[in-house]
Amino acid sequence: MARWWKVSLAMQLIVLLQFGNCSIDSCPTSCSCLPLKTRGLIVNCSSRHLRDLPDLPLITVQLYLQNNLIRSVPPGALDHLVSLQEVDVSGNPWNCDCQILYFKSWFDSVADQRNLANTRCATPNTVSMKPFQTLTGNDMPPCGRTWPTKCRKFFIRDLYMIGLAVLVLILMSYVVRMSRKLACRVAVTTSSRHMKAANESYKSK
Ligand SMILES: *[C@@H]1O[C@H](CO)[C@@H](O)[C@H](O)[C@H]1NC(C)=O
């Protein structure tokens, strides 16, 4: 039994490694890749009319993305490039709203940034043509209002639920109070009726 488990675990590991290898280490179809003498890849995706970031290999050391149509990068999309040393993202129409902050801080952390003079924001108007290097959080509208729509939907639904719960609570407390008042009144009227009856029976005697 134990041996069977070990074999199955090993098989799973092998499959996982194979799968991981082909999805993480292969060259994106829209780019050309050149292996370095030391382990690593030069990934050249320049001038390919790319609108989105391709799936980049884990072992990318030099990354050329210049002269494309990329406007933004989803947060976290570049975190796996732990071996990266050199990058060129110039000549793209970067949309520098608050969501660019992830990409900007990632870009700042790369050791060698090429062609900085041509790495600029294109939109929004307030920062058009501003070099990436001089961009700060103050140049952008505050991030607070641009929640992901999914998040906002959940938030609105939660608000509805809370509102409904509060309404039900208010209604219930009202009903309880009313029924208590009613019970009181009934008790008083019945007791007063009893008193009257007693009085009358006393008088008649
Ligand atoms: C990247 O590829 C382009 C052609 O698509 C070529 O002109 C350029 O020299 C290449 N850059 C590097 C650094 O290999």
Side-chain angles (χ1 to χ4, degrees), residues 163-173:
L164 209 76
V166 167
L167 213 76
V168 165
L169 266 176
I170 289 172
L171 252 159
M172 268 170 67
S173 74

Side-chain angles (χ1 to χ4, degrees), residues 1-9:
M1 191 67 178
R3 192 179 293 167
W4 185 85
W5 259 102
K6 270 181 203 163
V7 169
S8 118
L9 207 72

Side-chain angles (χ1 to χ4, degrees), residues 32 42 44 46-48 64 66:
S32 62
I42 302 173
N44 184 357
S46 66
S47 310
R48 314 278 163 126
Y64 299 104
Q66 68 269 32

Side-chain angles (χ1 to χ4, degrees), residues 20-104:
N21 260 347
C22 71
S23 67
I24 294 173
D25 273 356
S26 67
C27 192
T29 48
S30 46
C31 310
S32 62
C33 299
L34 208 72
L36 288 165
K37 286 201 188 81
T38 53
R39 187 178 143 84
L41 282 179
I42 302 173
V43 180
N44 184 357
C45 312
S46 66
S47 310
R48 314 278 163 126
H49 308 288
L50 297 179
R51 290 181 177 278
D52 298 301
L53 194 75
D55 281 331
L56 295 164
L58 190 67
I59 54 170
T60 305
V61 174
Q62 297 174 27
L63 175 60
Y64 299 104
L65 281 169
Q66 68 269 32
N67 304 324
N68 282 296
L69 302 166
I70 304 172
R71 296 169 51 78
S72 63
V73 166
L78 297 159
D79 286 350
H80 65 292
L81 303 183
V82 288
S83 312
L84 197 72
Q85 287 166 10
E86 193 180 311
V87 69
D88 189 339
V89 297
S90 63
N92 283 288
W94 294 110
N95 179 31
C96 297
D97 66 2
C98 75
Q99 301 210 4
I100 202 81
L101 283 176
Y102 163 75
F103 182 65
K104 156 88 171 142

Side-chain angles (χ1 to χ4, degrees), residues 130-146:
K130 195 174 177 70
F132 243 60
Q133 227 178 343
T134 62
L135 191 72
T136 68
N138 294 333
D139 299 323
M140 304 163 196
C143 256
R145 267 176 279 159
T146 56

